[in-house]
Amino acid sequence: MMRIVSANLNGIRSATAKGFFDWLQASGADVLCVQELKAQAADLTPGMQAPAGYQGFFHYAGKKGYSGVGIYCRRQPDRVLSGIGHPDFDAEGRFIRADFGSLSVISLYVPSGSSSPERQEAKFAFLDELMPVMDALRQEEGRDFIVCGDWNIAHQPIDLKNWKGNQKNSGFLPEEREWLTRLYASGWVDVYRRLLPGVGEEGYTWWSNRGQAYARNVGWRIDLQVATPEVASRAVAAQVYKERRFSDHAPLCIDYEL
């Protein structure tokens, strides 16, 4: 059994102060993918770089206090790669991959487009660059992939509370949703939705900091584990961890029989 966890930390230093790495020790995670480090290497303590029992690998953003992704794992990876091959987006620290035998695990952070029309255009540009990367990964012979991360897109009305009122907002735009539809049609699998096809509110992973959204569970399911079919078929259990809060996102935990 292999437990893979994905968590947007909204700042690794903030999440650490809230007990995230204490939770990790009890979580049973074999691989942890994190997003939105908001830190560079010099900002990380030894406990953040390599918590007890884990090794950490990171793709930092060039801009201080911004973006950044990482992978923590119990087992030494065979290889670690970062970036999607686009200089501008790679400078934002959005993609890191670790290979373990025939399995690759990726931590991904898709840009948010909510802050401005310019950032929405950047998000569309990133998605345009990411699709051929995803196609190439899926077509690699003999490899399974699990892409964990904050995709910043809710796919269907079941995936967010106020779907009617958000159809013109970033994260639920028709073009974004269609992008995910095309991704799944190409063969990638939304693992949580495969296991729990009818689950709505329990699956939310992000809540706005405004208007008591968390207390009222006015959330979005935007943190996903998207996998190639063979490894997706080996997923046996999934849950969103909500007993403690470490950021505005909640960790997504999925167990695979590997």
Side-chain angles (χ1 to χ4, degrees), residues 157-189:
I158 193 175
D159 295 318
L160 71 167
K161 184 75 167 184
N162 292 330
W163 68 270
K164 288 184 178 179
N166 279 295
Q167 294 178 84
K168 295 183 179 180
N169 292 333
S170 181
F172 199 60
L173 295 173
E175 301 94 325
E176 297 169 329
R177 298 170 61 200
E178 173 57 25
W179 188 92
L180 273 184
T181 297
R182 286 191 289 116
L183 183 73
Y184 298 147
S186 75
W188 289 92
V189 178

PDB file of all heavy atoms in Angstrom, residues 157-189:
ATOM      1  N   PRO A 157     -20.332  21.047 -11.488  1.00  0.00           N
ATOM      2  CA  PRO A 157     -21.078  21.696 -10.393  1.00  0.00           C
ATOM      3  C   PRO A 157     -20.949  20.994  -9.051  1.00  0.00           C
ATOM      4  O   PRO A 157     -20.973  21.648  -8.005  1.00  0.00           O
ATOM      5  CB  PRO A 157     -22.523  21.669 -10.913  1.00  0.00           C
ATOM      6  CG  PRO A 157     -22.386  21.755 -12.396  1.00  0.00           C
ATOM      7  CD  PRO A 157     -21.160  20.930 -12.712  1.00  0.00           C
ATOM      8  N   ILE A 158     -20.772  19.680  -9.051  1.00  0.00           N
ATOM      9  CA  ILE A 158     -20.621  18.936  -7.792  1.00  0.00           C
ATOM     10  C   ILE A 158     -19.351  19.343  -7.053  1.00  0.00           C
ATOM     11  O   ILE A 158     -19.224  19.106  -5.846  1.00  0.00           O
ATOM     12  CB  ILE A 158     -20.625  17.418  -8.066  1.00  0.00           C
ATOM     13  CG1 ILE A 158     -20.798  16.618  -6.774  1.00  0.00           C
ATOM     14  CG2 ILE A 158     -19.373  16.994  -8.806  1.00  0.00           C
ATOM     15  CD1 ILE A 158     -20.921  15.121  -6.990  1.00  0.00           C
ATOM     16  N   ASP A 159     -18.420  19.992  -7.753  1.00  0.00           N
ATOM     17  CA  ASP A 159     -17.106  20.281  -7.191  1.00  0.00           C
ATOM     18  C   ASP A 159     -16.997  21.637  -6.506  1.00  0.00           C
ATOM     19  O   ASP A 159     -15.895  22.002  -6.072  1.00  0.00           O
ATOM     20  CB  ASP A 159     -16.045  20.191  -8.293  1.00  0.00           C
ATOM     21  CG  ASP A 159     -15.910  18.783  -8.841  1.00  0.00           C
ATOM     22  OD1 ASP A 159     -15.930  17.836  -8.031  1.00  0.00           O
ATOM     23  OD2 ASP A 159     -15.794  18.620 -10.070  1.00  0.00           O
ATOM     24  N   LEU A 160     -18.081  22.374  -6.407  1.00  0.00           N
ATOM     25  CA  LEU A 160     -18.052  23.627  -5.651  1.00  0.00           C
ATOM     26  C   LEU A 160     -19.460  23.959  -5.182  1.00  0.00           C
ATOM     27  O   LEU A 160     -20.451  23.540  -5.770  1.00  0.00           O
ATOM     28  CB  LEU A 160     -17.467  24.778  -6.453  1.00  0.00           C
ATOM     29  CG  LEU A 160     -18.262  25.378  -7.620  1.00  0.00           C
ATOM     30  CD1 LEU A 160     -17.627  26.697  -8.058  1.00  0.00           C
ATOM     31  CD2 LEU A 160     -18.335  24.437  -8.815  1.00  0.00           C
ATOM     32  N   LYS A 161     -19.517  24.734  -4.099  1.00  0.00           N
ATOM     33  CA  LYS A 161     -20.800  25.016  -3.463  1.00  0.00           C
ATOM     34  C   LYS A 161     -21.678  25.921  -4.328  1.00  0.00           C
ATOM     35  O   LYS A 161     -22.805  25.570  -4.660  1.00  0.00           O
ATOM     36  CB  LYS A 161     -20.545  25.673  -2.100  1.00  0.00           C
ATOM     37  CG  LYS A 161     -21.803  25.926  -1.288  1.00  0.00           C
ATOM     38  CD  LYS A 161     -22.343  24.658  -0.680  1.00  0.00           C
ATOM     39  CE  LYS A 161     -23.389  24.945   0.376  1.00  0.00           C
ATOM     40  NZ  LYS A 161     -23.837  23.714   1.043  1.00  0.00           N
ATOM     41  N   ASN A 162     -21.159  27.097  -4.674  1.00  0.00           N
ATOM     42  CA  ASN A 162     -21.966  28.094  -5.397  1.00  0.00           C
ATOM     43  C   ASN A 162     -21.620  28.072  -6.881  1.00  0.00           C
ATOM     44  O   ASN A 162     -21.109  29.053  -7.434  1.00  0.00           O
ATOM     45  CB  ASN A 162     -21.733  29.489  -4.809  1.00  0.00           C
ATOM     46  CG  ASN A 162     -22.302  29.621  -3.410  1.00  0.00           C
ATOM     47  OD1 ASN A 162     -23.286  28.968  -3.065  1.00  0.00           O
ATOM     48  ND2 ASN A 162     -21.683  30.454  -2.593  1.00  0.00           N
ATOM     49  N   TRP A 163     -21.921  26.971  -7.541  1.00  0.00           N
ATOM     50  CA  TRP A 163     -21.501  26.840  -8.932  1.00  0.00           C
ATOM     51  C   TRP A 163     -22.250  27.794  -9.855  1.00  0.00           C
ATOM     52  O   TRP A 163     -21.671  28.314 -10.818  1.00  0.00           O
ATOM     53  CB  TRP A 163     -21.651  25.399  -9.412  1.00  0.00           C
ATOM     54  CG  TRP A 163     -23.063  24.897  -9.546  1.00  0.00           C
ATOM     55  CD1 TRP A 163     -23.805  24.270  -8.593  1.00  0.00           C
ATOM     56  CD2 TRP A 163     -23.880  24.978 -10.702  1.00  0.00           C
ATOM     57  NE1 TRP A 163     -25.040  23.954  -9.072  1.00  0.00           N
ATOM     58  CE2 TRP A 163     -25.116  24.380 -10.380  1.00  0.00           C
ATOM     59  CE3 TRP A 163     -23.706  25.502 -11.988  1.00  0.00           C
ATOM     60  CZ2 TRP A 163     -26.170  24.286 -11.295  1.00  0.00           C
ATOM     61  CZ3 TRP A 163     -24.742  25.410 -12.898  1.00  0.00           C
ATOM     62  CH2 TRP A 163     -25.957  24.810 -12.553  1.00  0.00           C
ATOM     63  N   LYS A 164     -23.516  28.073  -9.558  1.00  0.00           N
ATOM     64  CA  LYS A 164     -24.274  28.962 -10.442  1.00  0.00           C
ATOM     65  C   LYS A 164     -23.698  30.368 -10.451  1.00  0.00           C
ATOM     66  O   LYS A 164     -23.628  31.025 -11.484  1.00  0.00           O
ATOM     67  CB  LYS A 164     -25.741  28.996 -10.016  1.00  0.00           C
ATOM     68  CG  LYS A 164     -26.508  27.720 -10.319  1.00  0.00           C
ATOM     69  CD  LYS A 164     -27.979  27.848  -9.952  1.00  0.00           C
ATOM     70  CE  LYS A 164     -28.738  26.577 -10.299  1.00  0.00           C
ATOM     71  NZ  LYS A 164     -30.185  26.667  -9.920  1.00  0.00           N
ATOM     72  N   GLY A 165     -23.271  30.827  -9.274  1.00  0.00           N
ATOM     73  CA  GLY A 165     -22.747  32.179  -9.171  1.00  0.00           C
ATOM     74  C   GLY A 165     -21.290  32.319  -9.568  1.00  0.00           C
ATOM     75  O   GLY A 165     -20.770  33.445  -9.594  1.00  0.00           O
ATOM     76  N   ASN A 166     -20.631  31.208  -9.902  1.00  0.00           N
ATOM     77  CA  ASN A 166     -19.199  31.266 -10.209  1.00  0.00           C
ATOM     78  C   ASN A 166     -18.870  30.951 -11.664  1.00  0.00           C
ATOM     79  O   ASN A 166     -17.695  30.798 -12.007  1.00  0.00           O
ATOM     80  CB  ASN A 166     -18.435  30.292  -9.307  1.00  0.00           C
ATOM     81  CG  ASN A 166     -18.169  30.866  -7.930  1.00  0.00           C
ATOM     82  OD1 ASN A 166     -17.432  31.836  -7.783  1.00  0.00           O
ATOM     83  ND2 ASN A 166     -18.785  30.269  -6.921  1.00  0.00           N
ATOM     84  N   GLN A 167     -19.899  30.899 -12.507  1.00  0.00           N
ATOM     85  CA  GLN A 167     -19.657  30.493 -13.891  1.00  0.00           C
ATOM     86  C   GLN A 167     -18.845  31.506 -14.701  1.00  0.00           C
ATOM     87  O   GLN A 167     -18.294  31.165 -15.745  1.00  0.00           O
ATOM     88  CB  GLN A 167     -20.991  30.214 -14.590  1.00  0.00           C
ATOM     89  CG  GLN A 167     -21.705  29.000 -14.002  1.00  0.00           C
ATOM     90  CD  GLN A 167     -23.051  28.724 -14.644  1.00  0.00           C
ATOM     91  OE1 GLN A 167     -23.144  28.080 -15.684  1.00  0.00           O
ATOM     92  NE2 GLN A 167     -24.097  29.247 -14.030  1.00  0.00           N
ATOM     93  N   LYS A 168     -18.751  32.728 -14.196  1.00  0.00           N
ATOM     94  CA  LYS A 168     -17.938  33.746 -14.876  1.00  0.00           C
ATOM     95  C   LYS A 168     -16.681  34.081 -14.081  1.00  0.00           C
ATOM     96  O   LYS A 168     -15.991  35.060 -14.383  1.00  0.00           O
ATOM     97  CB  LYS A 168     -18.764  35.014 -15.113  1.00  0.00           C
ATOM     98  CG  LYS A 168     -19.930  34.805 -16.066  1.00  0.00           C
ATOM     99  CD  LYS A 168     -20.682  36.102 -16.331  1.00  0.00           C
ATOM    100  CE  LYS A 168     -21.827  35.888 -17.307  1.00  0.00           C
ATOM    101  NZ  LYS A 168     -22.571  37.161 -17.578  1.00  0.00           N
ATOM    102  N   ASN A 169     -16.379  33.258 -13.072  1.00  0.00           N
ATOM    103  CA  ASN A 169     -15.217  33.512 -12.230  1.00  0.00           C
ATOM    104  C   ASN A 169     -14.096  32.524 -12.522  1.00  0.00           C
ATOM    105  O   ASN A 169     -14.340  31.365 -12.858  1.00  0.00           O
ATOM    106  CB  ASN A 169     -15.599  33.414 -10.744  1.00  0.00           C
ATOM    107  CG  ASN A 169     -16.517  34.545 -10.317  1.00  0.00           C
ATOM    108  OD1 ASN A 169     -16.499  35.635 -10.893  1.00  0.00           O
ATOM    109  ND2 ASN A 169     -17.329  34.292  -9.302  1.00  0.00           N
ATOM    110  N   SER A 170     -12.854  33.000 -12.355  1.00  0.00           N
ATOM    111  CA  SER A 170     -11.694  32.141 -12.547  1.00  0.00           C
ATOM    112  C   SER A 170     -11.802  30.910 -11.662  1.00  0.00           C
ATOM    113  O   SER A 170     -12.172  30.989 -10.494  1.00  0.00           O
ATOM    114  CB  SER A 170     -10.421  32.913 -12.201  1.00  0.00           C
ATOM    115  OG  SER A 170      -9.280  32.097 -12.403  1.00  0.00           O
ATOM    116  N   GLY A 171     -11.473  29.767 -12.242  1.00  0.00           N
ATOM    117  CA  GLY A 171     -11.583  28.499 -11.541  1.00  0.00           C
ATOM    118  C   GLY A 171     -12.792  27.693 -11.935  1.00  0.00           C
ATOM    119  O   GLY A 171     -12.818  26.471 -11.739  1.00  0.00           O
ATOM    120  N   PHE A 172     -13.801  28.374 -12.534  1.00  0.00           N
ATOM    121  CA  PHE A 172     -14.983  27.655 -13.011  1.00  0.00           C
ATOM    122  C   PHE A 172     -15.440  28.219 -14.357  1.00  0.00           C
ATOM    123  O   PHE A 172     -16.595  28.110 -14.720  1.00  0.00           O
ATOM    124  CB  PHE A 172     -16.105  27.727 -11.975  1.00  0.00           C
ATOM    125  CG  PHE A 172     -17.173  26.668 -12.140  1.00  0.00           C
ATOM    126  CD1 PHE A 172     -16.852  25.321 -12.072  1.00  0.00           C
ATOM    127  CD2 PHE A 172     -18.491  27.025 -12.360  1.00  0.00           C
ATOM    128  CE1 PHE A 172     -17.837  24.348 -12.231  1.00  0.00           C
ATOM    129  CE2 PHE A 172     -19.493  26.061 -12.514  1.00  0.00           C
ATOM    130  CZ  PHE A 172     -19.149  24.717 -12.455  1.00  0.00           C
ATOM    131  N   LEU A 173     -14.509  28.817 -15.077  1.00  0.00           N
ATOM    132  CA  LEU A 173     -14.839  29.330 -16.404  1.00  0.00           C
ATOM    133  C   LEU A 173     -15.048  28.171 -17.375  1.00  0.00           C
ATOM    134  O   LEU A 173     -14.408  27.127 -17.245  1.00  0.00           O
ATOM    135  CB  LEU A 173     -13.715  30.222 -16.917  1.00  0.00           C
ATOM    136  CG  LEU A 173     -13.459  31.515 -16.149  1.00  0.00           C
ATOM    137  CD1 LEU A 173     -12.209  32.201 -16.681  1.00  0.00           C
ATOM    138  CD2 LEU A 173     -14.667  32.449 -16.243  1.00  0.00           C
ATOM    139  N   PRO A 174     -15.938  28.339 -18.349  1.00  0.00           N
ATOM    140  CA  PRO A 174     -16.178  27.256 -19.309  1.00  0.00           C
ATOM    141  C   PRO A 174     -14.905  26.760 -19.989  1.00  0.00           C
ATOM    142  O   PRO A 174     -14.741  25.559 -20.198  1.00  0.00           O
ATOM    143  CB  PRO A 174     -17.135  27.892 -20.325  1.00  0.00           C
ATOM    144  CG  PRO A 174     -17.829  28.976 -19.565  1.00  0.00           C
ATOM    145  CD  PRO A 174     -16.819  29.504 -18.589  1.00  0.00           C
ATOM    146  N   GLU A 175     -13.994  27.688 -20.322  1.00  0.00           N
ATOM    147  CA  GLU A 175     -12.765  27.282 -21.005  1.00  0.00           C
ATOM    148  C   GLU A 175     -11.885  26.417 -20.106  1.00  0.00           C
ATOM    149  O   GLU A 175     -11.238  25.467 -20.583  1.00  0.00           O
ATOM    150  CB  GLU A 175     -11.975  28.516 -21.450  1.00  0.00           C
ATOM    151  CG  GLU A 175     -12.738  29.438 -22.384  1.00  0.00           C
ATOM    152  CD  GLU A 175     -13.443  30.565 -21.647  1.00  0.00           C
ATOM    153  OE1 GLU A 175     -13.927  30.339 -20.513  1.00  0.00           O
ATOM    154  OE2 GLU A 175     -13.515  31.677 -22.212  1.00  0.00           O
ATOM    155  N   GLU A 176     -11.843  26.740 -18.816  1.00  0.00           N
ATOM    156  CA  GLU A 176     -11.046  25.954 -17.873  1.00  0.00           C
ATOM    157  C   GLU A 176     -11.638  24.564 -17.689  1.00  0.00           C
ATOM    158  O   GLU A 176     -10.919  23.548 -17.685  1.00  0.00           O
ATOM    159  CB  GLU A 176     -10.977  26.678 -16.531  1.00  0.00           C
ATOM    160  CG  GLU A 176     -10.277  28.023 -16.585  1.00  0.00           C
ATOM    161  CD  GLU A 176     -10.452  28.815 -15.305  1.00  0.00           C
ATOM    162  OE1 GLU A 176     -11.508  28.671 -14.634  1.00  0.00           O
ATOM    163  OE2 GLU A 176      -9.532  29.573 -14.964  1.00  0.00           O
ATOM    164  N   ARG A 177     -12.937  24.521 -17.521  1.00  0.00           N
ATOM    165  CA  ARG A 177     -13.609  23.245 -17.327  1.00  0.00           C
ATOM    166  C   ARG A 177     -13.461  22.358 -18.565  1.00  0.00           C
ATOM    167  O   ARG A 177     -13.263  21.143 -18.457  1.00  0.00           O
ATOM    168  CB  ARG A 177     -15.076  23.479 -16.995  1.00  0.00           C
ATOM    169  CG  ARG A 177     -15.283  24.271 -15.701  1.00  0.00           C
ATOM    170  CD  ARG A 177     -16.729  24.682 -15.534  1.00  0.00           C
ATOM    171  NE  ARG A 177     -17.600  23.516 -15.470  1.00  0.00           N
ATOM    172  CZ  ARG A 177     -18.907  23.548 -15.715  1.00  0.00           C
ATOM    173  NH1 ARG A 177     -19.483  24.688 -16.065  1.00  0.00           N
ATOM    174  NH2 ARG A 177     -19.629  22.463 -15.620  1.00  0.00           N
ATOM    175  N   GLU A 178     -13.543  22.968 -19.752  1.00  0.00           N
ATOM    176  CA  GLU A 178     -13.379  22.220 -20.990  1.00  0.00           C
ATOM    177  C   GLU A 178     -11.960  21.671 -21.101  1.00  0.00           C
ATOM    178  O   GLU A 178     -11.743  20.567 -21.620  1.00  0.00           O
ATOM    179  CB  GLU A 178     -13.686  23.117 -22.191  1.00  0.00           C
ATOM    180  CG  GLU A 178     -13.385  22.513 -23.558  1.00  0.00           C
ATOM    181  CD  GLU A 178     -14.111  21.202 -23.829  1.00  0.00           C
ATOM    182  OE1 GLU A 178     -15.188  20.966 -23.222  1.00  0.00           O
ATOM    183  OE2 GLU A 178     -13.605  20.410 -24.641  1.00  0.00           O
ATOM    184  N   TRP A 179     -10.984  22.418 -20.594  1.00  0.00           N
ATOM    185  CA  TRP A 179      -9.605  21.935 -20.600  1.00  0.00           C
ATOM    186  C   TRP A 179      -9.495  20.637 -19.796  1.00  0.00           C
ATOM    187  O   TRP A 179      -8.868  19.669 -20.240  1.00  0.00           O
ATOM    188  CB  TRP A 179      -8.674  23.014 -20.036  1.00  0.00           C
ATOM    189  CG  TRP A 179      -7.219  22.691 -20.162  1.00  0.00           C
ATOM    190  CD1 TRP A 179      -6.388  23.034 -21.191  1.00  0.00           C
ATOM    191  CD2 TRP A 179      -6.419  21.948 -19.224  1.00  0.00           C
ATOM    192  NE1 TRP A 179      -5.113  22.552 -20.955  1.00  0.00           N
ATOM    193  CE2 TRP A 179      -5.106  21.880 -19.754  1.00  0.00           C
ATOM    194  CE3 TRP A 179      -6.673  21.337 -18.002  1.00  0.00           C
ATOM    195  CZ2 TRP A 179      -4.062  21.230 -19.092  1.00  0.00           C
ATOM    196  CZ3 TRP A 179      -5.643  20.685 -17.344  1.00  0.00           C
ATOM    197  CH2 TRP A 179      -4.349  20.646 -17.891  1.00  0.00           C
ATOM    198  N   LEU A 180     -10.106  20.609 -18.607  1.00  0.00           N
ATOM    199  CA  LEU A 180     -10.089  19.381 -17.810  1.00  0.00           C
ATOM    200  C   LEU A 180     -10.847  18.254 -18.512  1.00  0.00           C
ATOM    201  O   LEU A 180     -10.421  17.102 -18.477  1.00  0.00           O
ATOM    202  CB  LEU A 180     -10.692  19.627 -16.428  1.00  0.00           C
ATOM    203  CG  LEU A 180      -9.766  20.131 -15.332  1.00  0.00           C
ATOM    204  CD1 LEU A 180     -10.519  20.232 -14.007  1.00  0.00           C
ATOM    205  CD2 LEU A 180      -8.530  19.249 -15.156  1.00  0.00           C
ATOM    206  N   THR A 181     -11.963  18.584 -19.143  1.00  0.00           N
ATOM    207  CA  THR A 181     -12.716  17.572 -19.887  1.00  0.00           C
ATOM    208  C   THR A 181     -11.841  16.941 -20.957  1.00  0.00           C
ATOM    209  O   THR A 181     -11.830  15.709 -21.138  1.00  0.00           O
ATOM    210  CB  THR A 181     -13.971  18.191 -20.517  1.00  0.00           C
ATOM    211  OG1 THR A 181     -14.849  18.661 -19.480  1.00  0.00           O
ATOM    212  CG2 THR A 181     -14.721  17.173 -21.370  1.00  0.00           C
ATOM    213  N   ARG A 182     -11.088  17.760 -21.685  1.00  0.00           N
ATOM    214  CA  ARG A 182     -10.188  17.235 -22.721  1.00  0.00           C
ATOM    215  C   ARG A 182      -9.078  16.390 -22.107  1.00  0.00           C
ATOM    216  O   ARG A 182      -8.689  15.365 -22.668  1.00  0.00           O
ATOM    217  CB  ARG A 182      -9.589  18.389 -23.534  1.00  0.00           C
ATOM    218  CG  ARG A 182     -10.568  19.028 -24.495  1.00  0.00           C
ATOM    219  CD  ARG A 182      -9.881  19.985 -25.457  1.00  0.00           C
ATOM    220  NE  ARG A 182      -9.431  21.207 -24.805  1.00  0.00           N
ATOM    221  CZ  ARG A 182      -8.165  21.568 -24.686  1.00  0.00           C
ATOM    222  NH1 ARG A 182      -7.197  20.797 -25.159  1.00  0.00           N
ATOM    223  NH2 ARG A 182      -7.837  22.701 -24.097  1.00  0.00           N
ATOM    224  N   LEU A 183      -8.572  16.824 -20.955  1.00  0.00           N
ATOM    225  CA  LEU A 183      -7.523  16.055 -20.284  1.00  0.00           C
ATOM    226  C   LEU A 183      -8.028  14.657 -19.928  1.00  0.00           C
ATOM    227  O   LEU A 183      -7.350  13.649 -20.182  1.00  0.00           O
ATOM    228  CB  LEU A 183      -7.074  16.788 -19.020  1.00  0.00           C
ATOM    229  CG  LEU A 183      -5.922  16.138 -18.255  1.00  0.00           C
ATOM    230  CD1 LEU A 183      -4.602  16.315 -19.009  1.00  0.00           C
ATOM    231  CD2 LEU A 183      -5.812  16.703 -16.841  1.00  0.00           C
ATOM    232  N   TYR A 184      -9.215  14.587 -19.346  1.00  0.00           N
ATOM    233  CA  TYR A 184      -9.767  13.291 -18.960  1.00  0.00           C
ATOM    234  C   TYR A 184     -10.125  12.456 -20.184  1.00  0.00           C
ATOM    235  O   TYR A 184      -9.953  11.233 -20.178  1.00  0.00           O
ATOM    236  CB  TYR A 184     -10.980  13.484 -18.057  1.00  0.00           C
ATOM    237  CG  TYR A 184     -10.669  14.200 -16.756  1.00  0.00           C
ATOM    238  CD1 TYR A 184     -11.607  15.041 -16.154  1.00  0.00           C
ATOM    239  CD2 TYR A 184      -9.438  14.050 -16.139  1.00  0.00           C
ATOM    240  CE1 TYR A 184     -11.328  15.713 -14.965  1.00  0.00           C
ATOM    241  CE2 TYR A 184      -9.144  14.711 -14.953  1.00  0.00           C
ATOM    242  CZ  TYR A 184     -10.089  15.538 -14.377  1.00  0.00           C
ATOM    243  OH  TYR A 184      -9.797  16.207 -13.199  1.00  0.00           O
ATOM    244  N   ALA A 185     -10.605  13.092 -21.237  1.00  0.00           N
ATOM    245  CA  ALA A 185     -10.943  12.361 -22.458  1.00  0.00           C
ATOM    246  C   ALA A 185      -9.703  11.741 -23.099  1.00  0.00           C
ATOM    247  O   ALA A 185      -9.797  10.722 -23.792  1.00  0.00           O
ATOM    248  CB  ALA A 185     -11.639  13.288 -23.456  1.00  0.00           C
ATOM    249  N   SER A 186      -8.541  12.335 -22.854  1.00  0.00           N
ATOM    250  CA  SER A 186      -7.300  11.813 -23.438  1.00  0.00           C
ATOM    251  C   SER A 186      -6.796  10.577 -22.700  1.00  0.00           C
ATOM    252  O   SER A 186      -5.880   9.905 -23.179  1.00  0.00           O
ATOM    253  CB  SER A 186      -6.221  12.899 -23.427  1.00  0.00           C
ATOM    254  OG  SER A 186      -5.697  13.107 -22.118  1.00  0.00           O
ATOM    255  N   GLY A 187      -7.376  10.281 -21.526  1.00  0.00           N
ATOM    256  CA  GLY A 187      -6.994   9.073 -20.806  1.00  0.00           C
ATOM    257  C   GLY A 187      -6.615   9.277 -19.358  1.00  0.00           C
ATOM    258  O   GLY A 187      -6.533   8.309 -18.594  1.00  0.00           O
ATOM    259  N   TRP A 188      -6.367  10.518 -18.945  1.00  0.00           N
ATOM    260  CA  TRP A 188      -6.055  10.779 -17.542  1.00  0.00           C
ATOM    261  C   TRP A 188      -7.303  10.599 -16.680  1.00  0.00           C
ATOM    262  O   TRP A 188      -8.418  10.815 -17.140  1.00  0.00           O
ATOM    263  CB  TRP A 188      -5.511  12.191 -17.380  1.00  0.00           C
ATOM    264  CG  TRP A 188      -4.140  12.374 -17.952  1.00  0.00           C
ATOM    265  CD1 TRP A 188      -3.834  12.801 -19.223  1.00  0.00           C
ATOM    266  CD2 TRP A 188      -2.889  12.119 -17.309  1.00  0.00           C
ATOM    267  NE1 TRP A 188      -2.468  12.825 -19.400  1.00  0.00           N
ATOM    268  CE2 TRP A 188      -1.859  12.415 -18.235  1.00  0.00           C
ATOM    269  CE3 TRP A 188      -2.540  11.672 -16.033  1.00  0.00           C
ATOM    270  CZ2 TRP A 188      -0.512  12.275 -17.928  1.00  0.00           C
ATOM    271  CZ3 TRP A 188      -1.192  11.543 -15.722  1.00  0.00           C
ATOM    272  CH2 TRP A 188      -0.198  11.841 -16.662  1.00  0.00           C
ATOM    273  N   VAL A 189      -7.103  10.225 -15.409  1.00  0.00           N
ATOM    274  CA  VAL A 189      -8.217   9.891 -14.515  1.00  0.00           C
ATOM    275  C   VAL A 189      -8.150  10.758 -13.259  1.00  0.00           C
ATOM    276  O   VAL A 189      -7.096  10.859 -12.618  1.00  0.00           O
ATOM    277  CB  VAL A 189      -8.159   8.400 -14.111  1.00  0.00           C
ATOM    278  CG1 VAL A 189      -9.296   8.057 -13.150  1.00  0.00           C
ATOM    279  CG2 VAL A 189      -8.201   7.514 -15.345  1.00  0.00           C
TER     280      VAL A 189
END
